[in-house]
Amino acid sequence: MTITLMIILAYLLGSIPTGLIVGKLFYGIDIREHGSGNLGATNTFRVLGIKAGSVVTVVDILKGTIATLLPHFFGLEHTVHPLLIGLIAVIGHMLPVFAKFKGGKAVATSAGVVLAYQWPLFVMVIIVFLVTLKISKYVSLSSIMAAFFGILYTLIYMIVTHDWPLFVIVLALASFIIYRHKANIKRIKNKTEPKVKWM
């Protein structure tokens, strides 16, 4: 019963449409009607600016972090793997019950899951993201490169430490991220993908 409750809480936590809330509450704007129409941090940056985008990014990261820590809060870290609960939050972020199941692209919330479980990987992923963004100016490409780095790192880490759950979950998260950027990949190829102007 407690595990079921934890899963529900993780999904609901992930389902919180941060970009929609910030846009409507503080700007009177539904970001689904502007930019890419996505509820994630990237579209929030594009539509509402750096301040709003930063807030949404941090909150979306924390959704993944808090969800991954739920087994610890419930004293069940030895019963259910924290990464599984974190994965549920990411699914909630992508398919939020509070926003007609049309959510973000899983990047920030996935990063939050990694932050809760292994913060050095989180730091390295952020570095890869920022370096790629500095060079390319594409947020989508930076997200994809960070996802690929996560797969490579956890594969090597698994070989050394036998932490296969980390590799499996990161592989799943990275697959979500890459798949949900399909349209962005096409636009990059066609040179129609918007570039950031603030970095």
Side-chain angles (χ1 to χ4, degrees), residues 73-87:
F73 297 150
F74 281 91
L76 295 172
E77 60 267 35
H78 300 299
T79 303
V80 59
H81 202 288
L83 288 173
L84 287 174
I85 304 302
L87 180 64

Side-chain angles (χ1 to χ4, degrees), residues 107 125-126 128-129 132 141-151 174:
V107 179
V125 164
I126 295 298
V128 170
F129 177 90
T132 307
L141 179 61
S142 303
S143 301
I144 293 167
M145 291 303 295
F148 276 121
F149 175 82
I151 294 172

Side-chain angles (χ1 to χ4, degrees), residues 113-124 153-154 157 163 166:
V113 173
V114 172
L115 174 60
Y117 188 76
Q118 193 188 87
W119 67 264
L121 174 56
F122 171 83
V123 172
M124 286 185 281
Y153 174 92
T154 53
Y157 190 79
D163 190 352
L166 176 62

Side-chain angles (χ1 to χ4, degrees), residues 3-16 63-64 66-68 70-71 74 82 84-93 109:
I3 293 177
T4 301
L5 174 62
M6 193 163 49
I7 291 172
I8 293 172
L9 284 175
Y11 172 75
L12 294 177
L13 185 62
S15 288
I16 297 172
K63 291 194 303 185
I66 294 171
T68 306
L70 284 177
F74 281 91
L84 287 174
I85 304 302
L87 180 64
I88 298 298
V90 174
I91 292 172
H93 177 76
T109 306

Side-chain angles (χ1 to χ4, degrees), residues 52 72 84 93 104 117 131 162 167 178 194:
H72 174 73
L84 287 174
H93 177 76
Y117 188 76
V131 169
H162 306 293
F167 172 70
I178 295 166

Side-chain angles (χ1 to χ4, degrees), residues 120-190:
L121 174 56
F122 171 83
V123 172
M124 286 185 281
V125 164
I126 295 298
I127 291 172
V128 170
F129 177 90
L130 292 175
V131 169
T132 307
L133 184 61
K134 180 68 175 178
I135 295 170
S136 70
K137 309 301 181 184
Y138 290 126
V139 174
S140 53
L141 179 61
S142 303
S143 301
I144 293 167
M145 291 303 295
F148 276 121
F149 175 82
I151 294 172
L152 179 61
Y153 174 92
T154 53
L155 175 60
I156 296 171
Y157 190 79
M158 177 183 66
I159 293 172
V160 175
T161 67
H162 306 293
D163 190 352
W164 62 266
L166 176 62
F167 172 70
V168 171
I169 296 299
V170 167
L171 179 61
L173 297 176
S175 298
F176 291 154
I177 291 169
I178 295 166
Y179 177 78
R180 292 178 72 82
H181 280 89
K182 285 193 305 180
N184 302 84
I185 294 171
K186 290 181 181 179
R187 288 196 295 268
I188 290 173
K189 290 180 179 179
N190 296 330

